[in-house]
Amino acid sequence: RKEVEQDPGPFNVPEGATVAFNCTYSNSASQSFFWYRQDCRKEPKLLMSVYSSGNEDGRFTAQLNRASQYISLLIRDSKLSDSATYLCVVNDGAAGNKLTFGGGTRVLVKP
Amino acid sequence: DVKVTQSSRYLVKRTGEKVFLECVQDMDHENMFWYRQDPGLGLRLIYFSYDVKMKEKGDIPEGYSVSREKKERFSLILESASTNQTSMYLCASKGDLNTEAFFGQGTRLTVV
């Protein structure tokens, strides 16, 4: 079983719609969690950190469920510019703060 | 502005060559990482370093080595390049536990 798993998609989303997807992780000792966005042929960039209480940044909402070991990302009022691959990242907190990436979820927003 | 800089965007090397990929960060981060990214396989950790001269194997260290002589620089070395090492290589650096990682722009390496 992979340490961090995501549905690869693609999620085809009409412009203006809401889309949500999850990421599961296997290490119950994981300390911190992030969502990154990666555009085609570019490096990943931080979208948002994921806090225990859940957090929102504009149209984006991230949730953490420690009991079930998953995090989620919800995008409201999707824009064409939201088309990208969304990477789930888990930090296990050990020496070196090892980061483990999910395989990414591809989102395509269409007019 | 935060910066992680990789020495090359594109490289073409021959099988058997020794290849050096350089990464420099200006954020005084302790932690630095090398990943490779391949279609369908996502980002896979090759090596990471949590301090000068310290290194830890990641998930796929075979065929690679690393060097961290100075805090700001983390080098990835392909001792004898092979065609299956053709990939996108991404360097990242990171501070404390709950802080984000910053990536370089990536090096697309082709081994022929």
Side-chain angles (χ1 to χ4, degrees):
Chain A
R1 182 187 171 191
K2 289 184 182 177
E3 289 183 55
V4 181
E5 291 202 70
Q6 295 182 249
D7 183 337
F11 284 63
N12 294 300
V13 184
E15 192 175 8
T18 295
V19 61
F21 41 88
N22 292 340
C23 163
T24 59
Y25 61 94
S26 60
N27 183 358
S28 61
S30 296
Q31 298 286 315
S32 53
F33 308 87
F34 307 89
W35 282 106
Y36 276 70
R37 172 194 168 123
Q38 186 174 27
D39 294 298
C40 189
R41 295 186 169 271
K42 295 288 184 84
E43 73 274 21
K45 293 187 178 178
L46 180 72
L47 177 67
M48 58 199 303
S49 302
V50 186
Y51 303 123
S52 297
S53 55
N55 47 302
E56 192 174 305
D57 183 1
R59 298 181 293 107
F60 297 85
T61 301
Q63 298 278 354
L64 167 63
N65 186 317
R66 281 197 181 272
S68 300
Q69 293 183 205
Y70 73 88
I71 66 172
S72 64
L73 181 66
L74 182 146
I75 308 173
R76 282 185 300 278
D77 187 23
S78 297
K79 311 289 184 194
L80 297 177
S81 58
D82 294 333
S83 297
T85 297
Y86 292 85
L87 301 168
C88 167
V89 185
V90 176
N91 184 333
D92 71 3
N97 290 301
K98 182 185 169 187
L99 294 175
T100 303
F101 283 76
T105 296
R106 192 159 169 233
V107 172
L108 296 173
V109 182
K110 301 191 173 180
Chain B
D1 197 21
V2 158
K3 222 166 191 168
V4 180
T5 304
Q6 293 182 228
S7 50
S8 306
R9 288 296 299 271
Y10 301 94
L11 271 180
V12 180
K13 296 292 182 181
R14 294 191 180 279
T15 301
E17 276 194 77
K18 191 168 186 176
V19 181
F20 293 85
L21 303 183
E22 306 285 346
C23 176
V24 178
Q25 52 98 359
D26 64 359
M27 295 162 284
D28 201 36
H29 284 165
E30 290 81 16
N31 306 294
M32 296 187 74
F33 308 81
W34 274 106
Y35 293 88
R36 64 177 281 178
Q37 186 173 31
D38 301 286
L41 296 175
L43 274 87
R44 292 180 291 166
L45 182 63
I46 304 171
Y47 267 97
F48 64 102
S49 168
Y50 55 89
D51 202 350
V52 175
K53 297 191 185 295
M54 305 302 289
K55 60 185 179 184
E56 293 282 341
K57 292 181 180 180
D59 300 316
I60 50 162
E62 297 79 18
Y64 303 93
S65 62
V66 289
S67 171
R68 189 148 181 222
E69 296 297 317
K70 293 185 179 181
K71 192 175 187 180
E72 67 269 19
R73 186 181 296 270
F74 191 35
S75 304
L76 180 70
I77 303 151
L78 286 67
E79 298 290 342
S80 176
S82 63
T83 54
N84 63 12
Q85 292 178 310
T86 291
S87 186
M88 168 71 93
Y89 289 87
L90 287 158
C91 172
S93 79
K94 185 181 184 306
D96 295 335
L97 175 63
N98 293 319
T99 58
E100 67 183 282
F102 295 88
F103 282 85
Q105 77 277 29
T107 297
R108 192 166 291 278
L109 172 68
T110 303
V111 182
V112 297

